[in-house]
Amino acid sequence: MWKAARFAASSLRRSRRLSTAIPGPCIVHKRGADILHDPWFNKDTGFPYTERDRLGLRGLLPPRVISFEQQYARFMESYRSLEKNTQGQKNSVVSLSKWRILNRLHDRNETLYYRVLIDNIKDFAPIIYTPTVGLVCQNYSGLFRRPRGMYFSAKDKGEMMSMIYNWPAQEVDMIVLTDGSRILGLGDLGVQGIGIPIGKLDMYVAAAGFNPQRVLPVMLDVGTNNQKLLEDRLYLGLRQPRLEGEEYLSIVDEFMEAVFTRWPKAIVQFEDFQMKWAFETLHRYRKKFCMFNDDIQGTAGVALAGLLGTVRAQGRPLSDFVKQKIVVVGAGSAGLGVLNTAIQAAARMTGNDETTANKLFFLLDKDGLVTKQRNNLDPAAAPFAKDPSEIDGLREGASLVEVVSLAELLEVKKIRPHVLLGLSGKGGIFNEEVLKAMRDSDSSKPAIFAMSNPTMNAECTAADAFKHAGDNIVFASGSPFENVDLGNGKIGYVNQANNMYLFPGIGLGTLLSGAHFISDGMLQAAAECLASYMTDEDIQKGILYPSINSIRHITTEVGAAVVRAAVEEGLAEGHGDVGTESSNTCQK
């Protein structure tokens, strides 16, 4: 059935090719130095003499015309020289040096920037995105050279409707928004969190072919509770505690109304909001505006694709997914989003309600196993709390080691999970004792997902996972790790379970379908498409996710699956001619 899916996908590519080519000339209303200072239009020394005359550039550039290809080669030579000259230095120093050289190009010449990014996506994605973006956000006030995107703050209350028209683009397709309250696993970084929307939108352009003139990174600055930032003389944000309650929501409400008044067909992706606001804003806006929360829904989709791949890696039918015992460590927006999506998928497969499907899922937070006996149980975690009658030998707040290896479970005898999935933001929580306990898993090929970002917050390293849990595991992480040499010619493959495999395709499919609402069906179609992408041969090796070198192709497949789901659910507007029978991308 997987071969059939790939055949259907190739048929769709032949029948409906997506092109990023610009139809016709690009009309430029600027002249002279204004063009050279605008990265959207600047070609540096690449302007031929005819354009220099037409655009008032003669005399403002050196006389020699350097072709685009020559500029590309010159930049890559500079980048490789930087790599050579920084050998032996700290990883943080090297990463920031690489980010700076790319950022300078981004500020100067976007066409060249995106060309080198697309052609070298495997090398450059870790620099402009995870994991270096976390380091950039931590140091953003000191790295700031010129503004990118828009900044809306608590001081702008009542003015946002007029402010939105300050953005020069007449059309915007995709907006990535953060309030900086929970940047990766780094916590409250305030206005410095703008680095996340910038990096995400770079992936939208590179992976999904979005027009860089029609994307908009946004920082919603409502203050910060990070005392270190408030005392930093270089900090660029509001020097006040974070707004809370209705005061906070009124700011977000005003922003959303302003955005969709000017650009009613835009898509807004919420990114790195602290848990209480992540869930609140998702429920508040998802039926009213075209938006989604990447931490809740994107992470859940990528995790679901990996979980389905794990079942395939065991040589079992996908229907056995409902028999998988899964321990999720981390009760934040990402962890709860994964649980909710996985339970929905299990319920759909069995035809049972979600309460029944919930039986083999276990949730732990910083206080241990979450049960209904928990005092002050978080309402968001309550649906996943275990009833004492369901477990034997486990107590409220049981430790991770107890849950993984010691507890008795009615009807299943011992938990011995098939999957250990971490979204805790706590580096090293999957320690040697926990990993060794996974050797007793009921699975023939247990899975360990250390999905927290950045790298220092990963629950374990790939090397430790294979060393302590055994060679016969499936390993995935949010940040990139090198494959592990297991000896005797064997390789322990590392999967980067990163949202970059899904959110560009979700955005692309939503944009192409014209859907005004992103449904659970569209999101699940994206996840299942990603799960079906890998060949059986790769899956048997423990490779659950494709190479990032294939990201544009993956995004096309996922986008097509989202379009098809939107059509089937009647959410696609103006695309009544898009059929669902002749080309069923990723369907099995």
Side-chain angles (χ1 to χ4, degrees), residues 152-269:
F152 293 82
S153 78
K155 301 291 186 183
D156 300 317
K157 187 171 175 56
E159 301 294 333
M160 295 183 191
M161 190 64 75
S162 60
M163 287 172 61
I164 199 70
Y165 288 90
N166 290 340
W167 187 248
Q170 294 303 308
E171 298 291 341
V172 167
D173 296 324
M174 176 59 65
I175 296 169
V176 177
L177 169 73
T178 187
D179 69 350
S181 59
R182 191 202 58 81
I183 298 300
L184 302 175
L186 302 171
D188 183 352
L189 295 184
V191 77
Q192 298 188 158
I194 186 64
I196 294 292
I198 292 170
K200 291 278 184 177
L201 286 167
D202 278 350
M203 292 303 297
Y204 268 110
V205 175
F210 273 68
N211 185 338
Q213 295 184 31
R214 296 176 66 150
V215 300
L216 174 59
V218 174
M219 162 53 60
L220 197 63
D221 185 3
V222 294
T224 179
N225 293 332
N226 186 327
Q227 193 61 34
K228 183 178 179 181
L229 291 179
L230 292 173
E231 296 171 358
D232 184 351
R233 62 185 179 83
L234 295 178
Y235 181 61
L236 297 171
L238 293 181
R239 294 176 181 273
Q240 66 178 50
R242 284 190 169 273
L243 297 183
E244 294 292 343
E246 289 301 319
E247 200 173 8
Y248 172 89
L249 287 172
S250 68
I251 297 294
V252 189
D253 284 347
E254 184 177 342
F255 169 78
M256 294 294 281
E257 292 288 350
V259 164
F260 285 95
T261 295
R262 185 177 184 195
W263 301 303
K265 296 183 179 180
I267 305 165
V268 175
Q269 175 176 316

Side-chain angles (χ1 to χ4, degrees), residues 298-578:
T299 301
V302 170
L304 177 60
L307 295 174
L308 294 173
T310 297
V311 179
R312 291 179 64 197
Q314 298 166 3
R316 301 166 68 180
L318 278 185
S319 57
D320 277 4
F321 172 67
V322 300
K323 301 176 183 177
Q324 297 280 294
K325 291 171 287 185
I326 300 173
V327 171
V328 176
V329 183
S333 56
L336 297 182
V338 168
L339 269 173
N340 187 60
T341 299
I343 290 169
Q344 286 179 355
R348 192 175 67 252
M349 288 180 179
T350 59
N352 294 323
D353 59 29
E354 293 182 14
T355 301
T356 303
N358 192 6
K359 195 170 185 179
L360 298 182
F361 293 86
F362 301 82
L363 174 65
L364 287 85
D365 63 6
K366 60 184 178 59
D367 297 318
L369 180 67
V370 178
T371 74
K372 295 185 184 299
Q373 294 177 328
R374 173 74 57 92
N375 293 327
N376 301 316
L377 180 60
D378 189 323
F384 313 112
K386 286 296 176 190
D387 190 295
S389 64
E390 296 177 323
I391 50 180
D392 181 24
L394 275 179
R395 56 181 172 80
E396 156 60 33
S399 70
L400 177 56
V401 171
E402 291 175 317
V403 171
V404 170
S405 62
L406 302 177
E408 298 286 337
L409 179 69
L410 292 179
E411 299 183 23
V412 189
K413 296 183 180 179
K414 288 181 179 291
I415 290 183
R416 292 198 294 251
H418 296 80
V419 180
L420 180 59
L421 194 152
L423 283 161
S424 66
K426 187 175 180 180
I429 194 172
F430 293 173
N431 57 29
E432 180 177 346
E433 188 177 10
V434 170
L435 293 171
K436 283 184 175 179
M438 287 298 290
R439 288 176 177 263
D440 294 326
S441 167
D442 279 342
S443 171
S444 61
K445 192 181 283 288
I448 297 171
F449 285 50
M451 294 182 66
S452 291
N453 283 313
T455 307
M456 65 180 182
N457 287 356
E459 284 75 14
C460 66
T461 65
D464 282 347
F466 283 100
K467 177 181 179 181
H468 299 306
D471 295 355
N472 194 39
I473 64 169
V474 175
F475 179 82
S477 58
S479 290
F481 286 100
E482 294 295 326
N483 290 336
V484 178
D485 184 355
L486 302 176
N488 298 321
K490 295 182 179 179
I491 297 175
Y493 289 98
V494 173
N495 297 279
Q496 190 178 358
N498 196 287
N499 297 15
M500 65 185 172
Y501 288 117
L502 274 194
F503 69 76
I506 292 170
L508 179 64
T510 304
L511 180 68
L512 292 177
S513 70
H516 61 281
F517 164 67
I518 302 177
S519 69
D520 288 339
M522 293 163 67
L523 294 167
Q524 289 177 17
E528 290 170 6
C529 177
L530 179 59
S532 71
Y533 188 87
M534 302 303 296
T535 65
D536 289 333
E537 181 181 0
D538 283 336
I539 287 289
Q540 291 307 311
K541 293 178 182 177
I543 304 175
L544 306 181
Y545 300 100
S547 167
I548 191 175
N549 285 328
S550 306
I551 191 68
R552 288 175 74 87
H553 181 242
I554 297 160
T555 296
T556 301
E557 303 281 352
V558 172
V562 171
V563 170
R564 189 182 65 252
V567 172
E568 291 174 348
E569 294 183 30
L571 297 174
E573 295 185 355
H575 291 269
D577 59 332
V578 179

Side-chain angles (χ1 to χ4, degrees), residues 51-310:
E51 287 187 351
R52 295 185 187 198
D53 287 337
R54 193 163 63 246
L55 300 175
L57 297 174
R58 190 181 283 267
L60 301 181
L61 291 165
R64 185 182 174 193
V65 177
I66 304 294
S67 70
F68 184 82
E69 290 73 19
Q70 289 172 312
Q71 291 182 59
Y72 181 105
R74 183 173 62 185
F75 174 82
M76 292 305 299
E77 184 178 343
S78 297
Y79 185 85
R80 299 307 177 199
S81 178
L82 171 67
E83 284 188 314
K84 182 178 180 181
N85 294 335
T86 54
Q87 284 182 352
Q89 296 189 29
K90 291 175 58 178
N91 285 339
S92 60
V93 172
V94 175
S95 296
L96 282 180
S97 296
K98 291 178 177 179
W99 179 86
R100 283 191 183 96
I101 191 173
L102 282 166
N103 190 59
R104 287 197 294 269
L105 179 61
H106 196 180
D107 285 343
R108 187 180 74 248
N109 185 333
E110 284 206 351
T111 303
L112 182 58
Y113 172 75
Y114 286 114
R115 181 73 269 161
V116 300
L117 179 57
I118 291 168
D119 286 357
N120 302 275
I121 190 68
K122 187 174 183 179
D123 291 335
F124 289 167
I127 304 301
I128 58 99
Y129 185 54
T130 304
T132 303
V133 68
L135 187 61
V136 170
C137 288
Q138 288 178 298
N139 296 276
Y140 196 79
S141 291
L143 294 170
F144 180 86
R145 293 296 179 269
R146 60 174 291 173
R148 186 178 302 282
M150 292 194 75
Y151 298 79
F152 293 82
S153 78
K155 301 291 186 183
D156 300 317
K157 187 171 175 56
E159 301 294 333
M160 295 183 191
M161 190 64 75
S162 60
M163 287 172 61
I164 199 70
Y165 288 90
N166 290 340
W167 187 248
Q170 294 303 308
E171 298 291 341
V172 167
D173 296 324
M174 176 59 65
I175 296 169
V176 177
L177 169 73
T178 187
D179 69 350
S181 59
R182 191 202 58 81
I183 298 300
L184 302 175
L186 302 171
D188 183 352
L189 295 184
V191 77
Q192 298 188 158
I194 186 64
I196 294 292
I198 292 170
K200 291 278 184 177
L201 286 167
D202 278 350
M203 292 303 297
Y204 268 110
V205 175
F210 273 68
N211 185 338
Q213 295 184 31
R214 296 176 66 150
V215 300
L216 174 59
V218 174
M219 162 53 60
L220 197 63
D221 185 3
V222 294
T224 179
N225 293 332
N226 186 327
Q227 193 61 34
K228 183 178 179 181
L229 291 179
L230 292 173
E231 296 171 358
D232 184 351
R233 62 185 179 83
L234 295 178
Y235 181 61
L236 297 171
L238 293 181
R239 294 176 181 273
Q240 66 178 50
R242 284 190 169 273
L243 297 183
E244 294 292 343
E246 289 301 319
E247 200 173 8
Y248 172 89
L249 287 172
S250 68
I251 297 294
V252 189
D253 284 347
E254 184 177 342
F255 169 78
M256 294 294 281
E257 292 288 350
V259 164
F260 285 95
T261 295
R262 185 177 184 195
W263 301 303
K265 296 183 179 180
I267 305 165
V268 175
Q269 175 176 316
F270 278 60
E271 196 71 43
D272 286 1
F273 283 66
Q274 59 184 306
M275 185 177 75
K276 63 179 179 181
W277 295 128
F279 282 104
E280 173 71 22
T281 53
L282 180 62
H283 295 149
R284 191 178 185 91
Y285 303 124
R286 72 172 306 192
K287 295 291 181 69
K288 185 176 181 181
F289 303 114
C290 190
M291 60 80 64
F292 71 105
N293 185 296
D294 188 42
D295 302 298
I296 297 173
Q297 297 165 299
T299 301
V302 170
L304 177 60
L307 295 174
L308 294 173
T310 297

